[in-house]
Amino acid sequence: MTNPAHLAEFQECFGASKRIVALVGAGLLASSGLPTFRGTQGLWKNFNMIDLATPDAFYIDPGLVWQFYLWRRHQALQAQPNAGHLALAELSRSTSKEFVTITQNVDGLLGRAGHEREKLHEIHGSLFDLRCTSFTCTYVDHGNEDDPLTPALDVPEEYEKSQSSSLPKESESLSVMDLGQNVVAPSPQFTAIQELSVSELPLCPACQSLMRPGVVWFGELLPLRVLDEIDDFLESGPVDLILVIGTSGTVYPANAYVDLVRSRGGAVAIFNTDIEPAVMRGELERTWGFQGDAAEWLPVALAEPKK
Ligand code: BV8
Ligand code: ZN
């Protein structure tokens, strides 16, 4: 449970803050029924999700990776924005505070919650953008919500159920996290769910090459235009407060923004089910912890202070 003093101190800081940043991760999706990347739900069939979010996986078996992203798209389209999404969207409409959200999530729920588009920076791309894999073609399909994208990718529900029972023993699937600590391991060998030929996958209408999901995979550069927009905000004045919402802080460079704001004197508010005890004991200067579901805490913490 959160230290009761935290809420009062935070709301005083929040009320006085003129420039605020939110850094959002998969934990904000939990209440909308979407899985996080780590922890128990971070699995799809018998793979670690972060093993599939790589160029290697797509090169080895584009059909498998497309099935993974069709499942993610389908889930995101079925999901509804939660109270945490709505609280951030409302803050984005504030006329008295400058606010931007940096989201690592690719599901589109913040946009669907009504978040001001120009204040929403999707640094890992979107499940609903597709782009051509040909180096000589720049075709991008923005905001494509077709479900399924091609007939062959319409994986029948019962097939999904039959597969999901075969979850792996932890040892069977390597995660990119392992790469962080150990020598680079060989790419995990995927067992194809159903063999799909490239011709059955999304093809570029401009040049007929294979299309890929418009997300940033591990080992890939983040969209420079988005990073520039974020830098413009960070460099155009001091950030008084950063809200760190539902993120394990494991993914670079997203995780670097928290230290940047703190190093420049900004306060930090963490919304997570798993928070360091030192934060909860109030031992870190101008750092507050709200332990529990971000979808529950955000509306409370960001509520306009009673006059
Ligand atoms: C780059 C899109 C440089 C795809 C994603 C070794 C080898 C290779 C690379 C690296 C390496 N070491 C470091 C790297 C860099 C790598 C990285 O950081 N890897 C990590 C895993 C170690 N980063 C990159 O590769 C980035 N690019 O660095 O480029 C470069 C330079 C030159 C040339 C080329 C490249 C690109 C990273 C982008 C990866 N793509 N997403 C997709 O979604 O399919 S990241 C992906 O992971 C998601 O976006 C997701 O958001 C993110 C995971 O982070 P979280 O959001 O934090 O989610 P997680 O599950 O981890 O945590 C959930 C949290 O919520 C937990 O804390 C939990 O306690 C909490 N929670 C749970 N329930 C709730 C809750 N909180 C509140 N309420 C709840 N109810
Ligand atoms: Zn093309």
Side-chain angles (χ1 to χ4, degrees):
M1 188 45 196
T2 273
N3 177 328
H6 279 200
L7 186 56
E9 287 170 12
F10 166 78
Q11 287 187 319
E12 192 184 334
C13 169
F14 175 59
S17 293
K18 291 290 167 231
R19 305 187 82 249
I20 302 171
V21 172
L23 175 68
V24 169
L28 181 60
L29 305 175
S31 242
S32 295
L34 297 179
T36 62
F37 269 67
R38 292 168 186 78
T40 48
Q41 324 94 308
L43 291 174
W44 175 69
K45 300 190 192 315
N46 57 338
F47 307 114
N48 253 334
M49 286 166 64
I50 51 183
D51 287 336
L52 291 163
T54 65
D56 257 7
F58 190 72
Y59 177 74
I60 293 167
D61 189 341
L64 174 71
V65 173
W66 262 120
Q67 287 169 70
F68 170 53
Y69 280 95
L70 261 288
W71 173 71
R72 298 269 301 282
R73 287 165 56 97
H74 185 75
Q75 281 219 325
L77 290 170
Q78 306 288 313
Q80 294 305 319
N82 59 50
H85 291 110
L86 296 169
L88 291 175
E90 188 178 338
L91 183 53
S92 78
R93 293 190 289 270
S94 163
T95 51
S96 58
K97 297 180 188 304
E98 286 183 68
F99 170 70
V100 296
T101 292
I102 301 168
T103 184
Q104 301 171 88
N105 299 340
V106 294
D107 54 83
L109 285 180
L110 273 167
R112 285 174 49 198
H115 196 296
E116 300 264 313
R117 282 277 167 205
E118 70 282 2
K119 299 176 184 177
L120 177 57
H121 303 297
E122 296 176 315
I123 55 170
H124 292 162
S126 168
L127 290 172
F128 302 104
D129 290 348
L130 286 78
R131 53 191 169 85
C132 183
T133 56
S134 162
F135 289 112
T136 57
C137 178
T138 57
Y139 185 83
V140 178
D141 184 357
H142 284 293
N144 176 327
E145 295 191 355
D146 294 351
D147 186 24
L149 281 170
T150 68
L153 283 169
D154 189 8
V155 181
E157 286 294 315
E158 59 282 2
Y159 195 88
E160 292 265 337
K161 288 198 186 62
S162 68
Q163 290 296 312
S164 57
S165 54
S166 61
L167 292 183
K169 290 185 291 306
E170 271 309 300
S171 57
E172 276 172 20
S173 55
L174 292 171
S175 78
V176 177
M177 292 293 281
D178 303 334
L179 295 179
Q181 278 97 41
N182 313 316
V183 174
V184 178
S187 298
Q189 298 311 311
F190 299 126
T191 49
I193 301 260
Q194 41 176 358
E195 293 298 327
L196 294 179
S197 66
V198 168
S199 63
E200 297 177 286
L201 301 177
L203 301 178
C204 174
C207 73
Q208 294 311 303
S209 303
L210 181 61
M211 296 288 274
R212 59 164 281 177
V215 298
V216 179
W217 281 325
F218 288 102
E220 293 189 320
L221 279 172
L222 276 65
L224 296 179
R225 176 186 55 76
V226 177
L227 294 180
D228 287 347
E229 288 168 358
I230 295 168
D231 286 350
D232 288 349
F233 182 84
L234 296 174
E235 299 312 321
S236 57
V239 173
D240 304 307
L241 171 65
I242 184 165
L243 311 172
V244 187
I245 303 164
T247 181
S248 58
T250 36
V251 178
Y252 172 82
N255 54 11
Y257 289 115
V258 184
D259 288 341
L260 179 77
V261 169
R262 193 199 295 276
S263 68
R264 295 180 175 178
V268 179
I270 300 167
F271 297 79
N272 201 305
T273 43
D274 172 17
I275 299 180
E276 283 168 56
V279 171
M280 297 312 288
R281 288 192 300 267
E283 292 170 8
L284 275 70
E285 183 72 14
R286 305 183 77 234
T287 301
W288 300 283
F290 296 94
Q291 185 135 354
D293 183 358
E296 282 179 31
W297 265 117
L298 282 169
V300 171
L302 303 185
E304 279 299 318
K306 292 182 183 47
K307 296 278 186 249

